Amino acid sequence: MYHSRIDYDESMRIHDTWFSGRRVDVDISDGRIQSISPATSAPSDAAMSGGMVCPHFAEPHVHLDATQLGARLPNRSGTLFEGIDNWATLRSSVNAEDVRERALKTVGWYLRQGTSRIRTHVDTASRTAAEALIALREELKDPSVLGMPVELEVVAFPQEGILTDPQREADWRAVVELGCDAVGCIPHYETSHDAGDATVRMCFDLAEAHGLKVDLHCDETDDPAWRALLAVCAEAERRGMTGQVVAGHCTAMHSWPDDLAERACARVAETGVQVVTNPLDNIVLQGRADRYPKRRGLTRVDELWAAGAMVGIGHDSVVDPWYRLGTANMLDPAYMLVHAGHLTGEAEMTRVFATLHRENHHPFGSPPAIAAGEPATFLWFAASDPIEALRTRLPPRVFYRGQELQS
Ligand code: FE2
């Protein structure tokens, strides 16, 4: 975990490096980028040479309340339902320090691999976990904790639904009151489609009442009858919440009729809803009951792109009850997406990589810029371009205001 930084005393140059499709020299001093110029061929006394530079990554969807619990109560079947049951058992025994330690460990993994903005969901059935993650959000603003500030956002997520039990609705509302950044719900976990759509409206109502954003688990099922995404688009449009709404997973769309999916992708684009796909979990949790062929269970990234919709890529689980694997390396879900989503075209792989440092920041605000005058906060990969970075998935060197973070 980071606790120190290497200080490049005066200035440094990164020579002949890939940046946004060009070969450039990047000159840095006083913690800022002084210039980005076409790469020179002359010998250089550069601190670094070659490789590639890009902004820090962002993680739009993970569950830090449950992280690092995968071995504490193993998911013997590897299914979504045993994962939910195991989490329901484990969450009653966690205390604040346990949540903090596990979450901090995973955030350290993220940062070491280039991710400094993280949006976590927290199960609203555990007030303890919610309080611990909100406290950690504040703690991580202090750069001395991990070597640079980490921007954490907390989403109030009712894992087992809202209308399924009066206590669940009460817990959900109470956790939002604690000071979350966004409100979530899980329509396909409700008892009917009408109830699911009702919770979408409740979710937007609660978010609006508190001036918060919306981020829901949307249609994370193989059942093509679930279409809460359409209700989400309608509410986002009606309330003018363009750019403030994230619909996570959206896996039912995988099994929708093509004409319905085409209409939905267009609605997602025109209402400014962002879809976040979680390829690691959904490639193994969806299609699980299928014989052959087994559905991939990912949302339609290529068709969302074609419609002009914004897509993010989440890791979702890092060693938790749903997915025992997980590294907090955002290149891993990206790598899974290019495979399972048939996105191995050159432009597609490049776009998947760029999503990690561009669209993935959207839930938090603007993506960070790499330009003259900006703080020298960036990643440097030894890989020669984004496709090589995806192929190797090796961690970058992480820079923050001209200083390199060190473990
Ligand atoms: Fe999730």
Side-chain angles (χ1 to χ4, degrees), residues 61-63 121 157 159 216-217 220 248-249 278 281-282 315-317 320 322:
H61 188 124
V62 68
H63 296 255
H121 297 258
F157 168 51
Q159 172 73 70
L216 65 157
H217 280 61
E220 190 186 6
H249 297 286
N278 296 291
D281 282 57
N282 288 141
H315 200 304
D316 201 7
S317 291
D320 72 14
W322 295 271

Side-chain angles (χ1 to χ4, degrees), residues 126-171:
S126 175
R127 186 182 178 92
T128 300
E131 288 175 337
L133 289 179
I134 289 169
L136 183 63
R137 178 187 69 194
E138 301 308 308
E139 183 181 354
L140 290 174
K141 292 176 181 175
D142 179 350
S144 70
V145 177
L146 290 175
M148 68 168 286
V150 172
E151 187 175 338
L152 191 64
E153 287 198 348
V154 180
V155 184
F157 168 51
Q159 172 73 70
E160 292 152 304
I162 298 167
L163 298 176
T164 48
D165 185 301
Q167 187 60 48
R168 290 176 183 149
E169 180 181 346
D171 291 344

